[in-house]
Amino acid sequence: MNTVVQLRTSNLDLRLAQEDRLEDAGRLAPDDRMTCHVHGRWIHQCASSAAHVNQVTRHRWCRECRTALTVAVDELTLTVHMSCPACGDGRSAATRRLEAACEASLSYTKGRPAALAS
Ligand SMILES: [Zn+2]
Ligand SMILES: [Zn+2]
C-alpha cells in the first residue's frame, strides 16, 4: 500500500478501490456497494442513470408497466425513493436494495455513516 497516494486521493476514490477489492474477494455483494465502478461516483449520484436499470433483475424496473423507475434523492432526510412514473410504485426486492445502497452512500457522504461492513 502506498500511503502517499492514498492521502492525495479523495474519499470516493479510496472507497471505490476498497469496494472493488471486497467485491472481487466475494466479501461484498455488488448490490450493497456505496460506490459505482461504472460511473466512478457515489451510487446515489448515478442511480438515475439508465445503466442502473435492469429488466432481468428488476433493479429500477416496473415489470407491470415495462417502465424504468424514477429516482428521488432527498438530501435533507437522507432518503432515496424510486417509483414508476406510470403506476406510482413498481418496486421490487432488487429496487429496495438499490434504494438502501443509495441511502447508505448518501448518509456516508453527509457524515452520518450507516452500518456498513468495512
Ligand atoms: Zn453508476
Ligand atoms: Zn408501474
Side-chain angles (χ1 to χ4, degrees), residues 16-73:
L16 255 174
Q18 187 184 24
E19 291 192 347
D20 281 350
R21 282 197 306 273
L22 288 170
E23 192 190 332
D24 286 347
R27 293 172 53 210
L28 178 67
D31 277 350
D32 294 334
R33 293 181 61 125
M34 292 195 302
T35 60
C36 172
H37 65 94
V38 175
H39 298 105
R41 310 191 70 148
W42 296 104
I43 188 68
H44 70 276
Q45 293 177 329
C46 65
S48 58
S49 156
H52 291 276
V53 176
N54 190 316
Q55 298 185 32
V56 177
T57 60
R58 296 172 63 204
H59 288 89
R60 266 194 67 211
W61 182 253
C62 179
R63 185 161 58 191
E64 298 288 307
C65 309
R66 304 190 59 77
T67 303
L69 310 191
T70 53
V71 183
V73 176

Side-chain angles (χ1 to χ4, degrees), residues 67-103:
T67 303
L69 310 191
T70 53
V71 183
V73 176
D74 189 331
E75 303 221 351
L76 202 61
T77 59
L78 303 179
T79 54
V80 176
H81 187 74
M82 301 177 184
S83 59
C84 170
C87 69
D89 186 14
R91 291 152 83 241
S92 63
T95 296
R96 286 192 189 90
R97 206 163 165 187
L98 181 58
E99 283 178 339
C102 287
E103 289 181 352

